[in-house]
Amino acid sequence: MKKIIALIALAASVAGVSAQNAVSSSKFLDNWSVGTDGGISTNLHEWDTPNGGVWGIQLTKGVTPVLSLEFSGQLGFNDDANWNAIRSKNAVDNFTVMGSVKVNLMNWFLGYQGQPRLFELQAKGGVGYMGMLYPESQTTAQHNSTVVKLGLDFDFNLGQEKAWTVSLRPAIVMRGCKEDTHCETKANCGAYSHNALAQLTAGVTYHFKNSNGKHYFTFAPLRSQSEIDSLNAVINNTRALAEKEREQARHALDEKDQQIEGLRKALSDCESREPVKEVSTEKSMECYVYFRQGKSTIDASQQPNVERIATFLKNHSEARVVIFGYASPEGSVEVNERLANQRADAVKNSLINKYGINASRIDAAGKGVGDSFSEPDWNRVSICTIQNEENK
C-alpha cells in the first residue's frame, strides 16, 4: 500500500508541473465543483455474492488543468457481504471518507486547449477511512479500516459553458487487513482478493463560475519580449519626462518665492522709511505733503508740513499758496488724475477748515502723474508753493 501511495504522490507532482504556465493564475475560490454519483460494488473473490449499492458526494478543487484534488464521502447499502461472511441487517452498512488526487490524462498528454474537451479521461487515486455499521456483538465480522481507491473517470463535458459533467467511474477499492483483526477467515486475511472490491458508478458534476467569468481555466494573456521591452521603454520615458517637469516646476516655484521675498522687503523698507517733512528753499518757498499709495488723506506724520504753511500764511497776510497734487505712475490715467485732484484738495481743505485760511488765498489743482522725483513713491505728493510779495 505504501508503494501505491508513493506512486499517486509522484503522479500528482508531475501533473502539477504540467501546463501551469499556459493558464492564468486563479484565486482560492476558483475552479471548485460539486458532484454526486451512485452505482454497484462487488468483491473479487466470490462473484456469486450479492452485489451491494453505493452512493457518494464529491467536492473537487482544480489546481491546474491537469491536477485536481477531490474530497469525497460514500455510503454502502447492503454491502456487508462484499467484505464479511455475516450479513448486516442495516440498510447502510458502511461509510467512507477519502481524499484523492485526479490527473487529467487528456490535458497531460495532449495539452490544454483553453477549455474542457467534450470527452476527457482522468486517472484517480486516493486514501481514506472506512467505518462498518453493525452491532459490535458480531465479532466475526471485520470492522473499521483504511482503504485505498484507484480508478478512472470517463467524463463528458456538456453545454456551451461546460458547467456540467456526466461521468462513468470504474474503480478498485482495497482495504487494509491484519491477522489480529476480524476477517471472514484468518487464512484469507492476507489474500488480495479478500480485501478488494470493484465499483462502477455514474454521476453528474457542476462546476462553479470562476472570477474569470468562466467555469474552467482560461489562458493567460501572453506577450512577446519585444512588446514587453517596448512597454518598459514607454514607462521609463514617461517617468523621465515627469521628473523633468517636476524639476522645472520646482525652479519656477523657487523664482516666485524669491520675487515674493523681494517685494516683501521693498514694502517693509517703504513702510519704515521716514517721510520727508519739508523740502523748500528760501528762493522757492516750497513745502511737500506726501501720501500713501492709493490714498488722499493726510497722515498724522505729514500734518506738521500743513501746519507750517498755515503758520506762514497767518504771519504774512499778503502771501498766497499754490497747491499742485500728483500721483505715482501705478494705476490707470483716470485713477491717477482723480488722486492728484483729491490730494491737492485735501491740503486746501485742511488749511481752510482746520487753520482758518481764507479760500481766496489758496489755488489747488491736480497735475496727474508727477515726475519731480526719480523715486516713484515720492511723487505721491502735494507740492505747496508760497507766493510772497517780498520774495517776488
Side-chain angles (χ1 to χ4, degrees):
M1 184 177 295
K2 293 182 179 179
K3 293 181 180 180
I4 294 174
I5 297 174
L7 289 174
I8 294 173
L10 179 61
S13 63
V14 173
V17 174
S18 176
Q20 288 188 5
N21 295 328
V23 295
S24 59
S25 58
S26 62
K27 301 178 181 179
F28 175 76
L29 296 180
D30 287 347
N31 302 301
W32 285 90
S33 61
V34 62
T36 182
D37 64 358
I40 60 174
S41 63
T42 182
N43 61 45
L44 298 179
H45 66 284
E46 292 181 0
W47 293 96
D48 58 340
T49 301
N51 297 325
V54 291
W55 174 83
I57 57 174
Q58 304 86 32
L59 181 64
T60 305
K61 164 65 176 175
V63 181
T64 72
V66 173
L67 176 67
S68 301
L69 302 178
E70 182 181 272
F71 308 93
S72 62
Q74 189 178 74
L75 299 178
F77 301 93
N78 295 321
D79 192 40
D80 62 311
N82 288 322
W83 299 110
N84 302 289
I86 298 176
R87 295 181 180 276
S88 169
K89 296 181 180 180
N90 299 331
V92 178
D93 300 312
N94 58 66
F95 68 89
T96 304
V97 290
M98 181 171 294
S100 304
V101 175
K102 299 173 67 174
V103 178
N104 190 311
L105 301 178
M106 307 288 284
N107 291 339
W108 189 4
F109 292 105
L110 301 180
Y112 185 56
Q113 298 178 334
Q115 64 177 351
R117 296 174 170 85
L118 175 62
F119 169 74
E120 292 181 331
L121 179 62
Q122 299 196 68
K124 178 167 63 178
V127 179
Y129 172 81
M130 175 180 285
M132 293 295 183
L133 303 176
Y134 48 79
E136 293 292 334
S137 59
Q138 294 179 304
T139 57
T140 58
Q142 186 168 335
H143 291 271
N144 308 334
S145 61
T146 58
V147 291
V148 173
K149 187 174 184 178
L150 300 175
L152 295 174
D153 287 359
F154 296 87
D155 295 337
F156 296 89
N157 300 300
L158 306 179
Q160 184 176 358
E161 295 186 355
K162 302 295 190 296
W164 293 92
T165 300
V166 176
S167 303
L168 185 65
R169 300 166 181 163
I172 296 295
V173 180
M174 293 171 287
R175 183 175 63 171
C177 181
K178 297 182 180 179
E179 293 189 3
D180 57 350
T181 61
H182 297 291
C183 296
E184 180 183 346
T185 61
K186 291 189 178 295
N188 291 331
C189 283
Y192 173 83
S193 61
H194 286 261
N195 298 293
L197 58 79
Q199 283 186 355
L200 179 62
T201 60
V204 61
T205 301
Y206 176 74
H207 305 272
F208 296 103
K209 183 175 287 189
N210 302 326
S211 58
N212 59 13
K214 303 293 184 180
H215 296 266
Y216 47 82
F217 287 96
T218 56
F219 284 122
L222 301 179
R223 299 185 182 276
S224 64
Q225 186 60 43
S226 60
E227 186 178 2
I228 294 174
D229 294 340
S230 176
L231 291 175
N232 286 333
V234 173
I235 293 172
N236 292 333
N237 291 336
T238 303
R239 288 176 176 171
L241 180 60
E243 182 60 30
K244 182 179 179 180
E245 291 179 350
R246 281 196 295 267
E247 189 65 24
Q248 292 175 349
R250 282 195 292 267
H251 287 318
L253 186 60
D254 292 341
E255 291 178 358
K256 293 297 181 183
D257 288 341
Q258 292 175 1
Q259 292 177 4
I260 293 173
E261 188 62 29
L263 292 173
R264 286 176 177 171
K265 186 175 184 301
L267 178 61
S268 177
D269 293 343
C270 181
E271 290 177 344
S272 62
R273 181 169 34 193
E274 289 292 335
V276 177
K277 295 181 180 180
E278 182 179 359
V279 179
S280 63
T281 64
E282 190 176 2
K283 190 173 184 179
S284 64
M285 295 186 67
E286 290 182 345
C287 186
Y288 298 83
V289 179
Y290 293 93
F291 296 84
R292 294 187 180 274
Q293 184 177 7
K295 303 295 183 180
S296 60
T297 56
I298 301 172
D299 287 350
S301 61
Q302 296 298 306
Q303 198 63 45
N305 295 339
V306 180
E307 187 174 352
R308 288 188 185 94
I309 298 171
T311 301
F312 187 89
L313 293 176
K314 287 180 180 180
N315 294 334
H316 300 81
S317 58
E318 73 285 358
R320 296 175 55 82
V321 62
V322 178
I323 305 170
F324 292 148
Y326 296 93
S328 57
E330 299 89 349
S332 64
V333 174
E334 292 80 3
V335 172
N336 288 332
E337 288 181 352
R338 184 176 70 251
L339 282 173
N341 288 324
Q342 291 173 349
R343 287 166 178 169
D345 290 339
V347 178
K348 177 181 177 179
N349 293 333
S350 179
L351 290 172
I352 294 171
N353 299 327
K354 188 172 183 178
Y355 298 102
I357 304 300
N358 194 301
S360 62
R361 302 175 64 189
I362 305 171
D363 294 326
K367 294 296 184 178
V369 177
D371 57 0
S372 300
F373 302 97
S374 59
E375 182 69 33
D377 295 351
W378 290 11
N379 288 310
R380 305 179 193 125
V381 65
S382 287
I383 301 178
C384 307
T385 303
I386 297 176
Q387 297 178 350
N388 189 3
E389 294 294 335
E390 297 178 358
N391 293 331
K392 288 185 180 179

